Amino acid sequence: MKAQRAVWGDTLTELAETDDRIVVVDGDLATSTMAVTFANAHPERFVQAGIAEQNMVGIAFGMSTLGYRPWLSSFGVFLTNRALDQVRMLVSQTKAPVRLAAAYTGLLNGASGKTHQDIEDLSVMRALPNMTVLAPADETEAAAIIRWAADHDGPVYLRLARDAVADVFDDGYEFRVGAPVLLRDGGSDADVTVVSTGVQTSRTVEAVTAVEASGATVTHVHLPTIKPLDEEALWAILDGARTVVTVEEHSVVGGLGDVVAAVLAGHASGARLHKVGLADSWAESGPNDFLLDKYGLSVEKVTARIRDVLGERVGV
């Protein structure tokens, strides 16, 4: 297993061997985001901007007008909050081909606590017009998405996790922007349909397996693309579902759960929707396993939540 931040550094370095438009602008975090890999291989195309995230966006925008394809490298919380005005004005409004490589997103960012945890990023970025918002599940999907984003002619927000997770996909995986990925098909009479995104999908795969071992049938969908989403393709999977559970390492306000809710509402679905994620509150620092368990995102807690939702109806 390889952490997504390492996959980003390695993949971008490889792509830059044949694409001299690729440049990286870093916010004094290269050894954490693994932009250092790119810097060592291509020092002439690496800009160390220091702790000046707003300026980073301006530099990247200026470079994009000269034909470069810049990547911004920093912690997600700094790109989506500290530099939001610049991202909104210079990148989103102009459709500039600037890519935000947001490392250390979500709850698990090395025990840095609520000042550095970015658990609102999906809701912030999906609200910006023209912004593509991507959240890969594992290292294989991260590499595929990075390759796609490198050629995309527009703004991209890429959610990257700090630590490695169990593999979800094999080498045959192909990323298609907007498309939902059906991981498990429980059939038309599935007891529950589970939708997850980002690295939380890796943990949710284990939870779904445990729920099925108890006798329930489960359909499991992964959404690597939060925006733009092929809503009709997702609806084709959700159509007829009686119970839907969304799982995300993100606030339940404005994230994956609300994306799925909009699709269900748009088709007048009668499905019950249950959102699993962080409540409308700040998190805290601590070891990964402690935080996942406390905020209901560990394999055991997600398994228990799905079983609670199903209740005695299916005997789990």
Side-chain angles (χ1 to χ4, degrees):
M1 298 185 295
K2 184 189 292 187
Q4 291 180 347
R5 56 180 174 146
V7 173
W8 176 74
D10 292 344
T11 305
L12 206 61
T13 298
E14 176 190 337
L15 292 173
E17 295 290 344
T18 56
D19 188 346
D20 58 11
R21 301 172 301 168
I22 296 176
V23 295
V24 171
V25 184
D26 181 74
D28 198 30
L29 288 168
T31 56
S32 295
T33 66
M34 298 311 296
V36 66
T37 306
F38 185 94
N40 290 338
H42 306 286
E44 74 285 356
R45 284 186 273 159
F46 176 77
V47 179
Q48 180 51 264
I51 306 175
E53 289 80 10
Q54 296 96 331
N55 290 343
M56 284 172 55
V57 179
I59 291 169
F61 169 72
M63 297 178 85
S64 74
T65 67
L66 299 175
Y68 290 100
R69 294 297 179 94
W71 288 77
L72 293 174
S73 167
S74 186
F75 288 1
V77 69
F78 300 142
L79 296 174
T80 63
N81 290 272
R82 186 175 295 169
L84 181 57
D85 183 49
Q86 286 73 21
V87 171
R88 178 178 180 270
M89 301 296 289
L90 296 177
V91 179
S92 173
Q93 290 193 16
T94 68
K95 302 181 183 179
V98 174
R99 294 138 184 81
L100 285 68
Y104 282 57
T105 54
L107 187 63
L108 311 179
N109 66 352
S112 297
K114 60 187 176 184
T115 57
H116 286 57
Q117 287 161 335
D118 201 4
I119 56 173
E120 313 91 26
D121 57 319
L122 298 180
S123 57
V124 172
M125 287 293 107
R126 65 183 282 257
L128 295 180
N130 305 315
M131 186 66 70
T132 296
V133 181
L134 305 169
D138 64 2
E139 63 175 286
T140 299
E141 188 169 54
I145 284 178
I146 292 161
R147 293 178 184 280
W148 176 89
D151 279 333
H152 178 61
D153 191 22
V156 174
Y157 177 78
L158 175 59
R159 190 179 219 240
L160 298 169
R162 177 184 185 273
D163 299 318
V165 295
D167 293 334
V168 175
F169 301 106
D170 59 28
D171 292 339
Y173 174 75
E174 295 183 9
F175 171 71
R176 291 186 297 119
V177 66
V181 181
L182 184 61
L183 298 178
R184 187 184 298 257
D185 187 355
S188 58
D189 293 326
D191 296 307
V192 62
T193 298
V194 178
V195 185
S196 58
T197 190
V199 292
Q200 184 62 34
T201 288
S202 179
R203 293 183 285 269
T204 305
V205 166
E206 294 186 56
V208 165
T209 299
V211 171
E212 282 213 325
S214 301
T217 54
V218 184
T219 291
H220 184 193
V221 187
H222 166 62
L223 294 189
T225 308
I226 299 298
K227 180 187 174 185
L229 174 65
D230 186 341
E231 296 188 2
E232 290 307 311
L234 179 58
W235 173 245
I237 300 172
L238 298 180
D239 188 12
R242 294 168 291 175
T243 303
V244 177
V245 177
T246 60
V247 190
E248 56 192 311
E249 190 189 320
H250 184 273
S251 170
V252 294
V253 179
L256 174 70
D258 285 356
V259 171
V260 174
V263 173
L264 294 172
H267 290 83
S269 169
R272 296 182 300 152
L273 175 65
H274 302 263
K275 297 191 290 185
V276 178
L278 283 90
D280 187 17
S281 63
W282 297 108
E284 62 189 276
S285 61
N288 286 0
D289 290 345
F290 169 82
L291 292 174
L292 288 173
D293 200 61
K294 177 167 183 175
Y295 294 102
L297 293 169
S298 64
V299 172
E300 295 76 16
K301 286 295 179 69
V302 173
T303 301
R305 181 66 186 277
I306 296 173
R307 286 172 171 165
D308 286 345
V309 166
L310 290 174
E312 296 179 359
R313 181 167 59 84
V314 293
V316 297

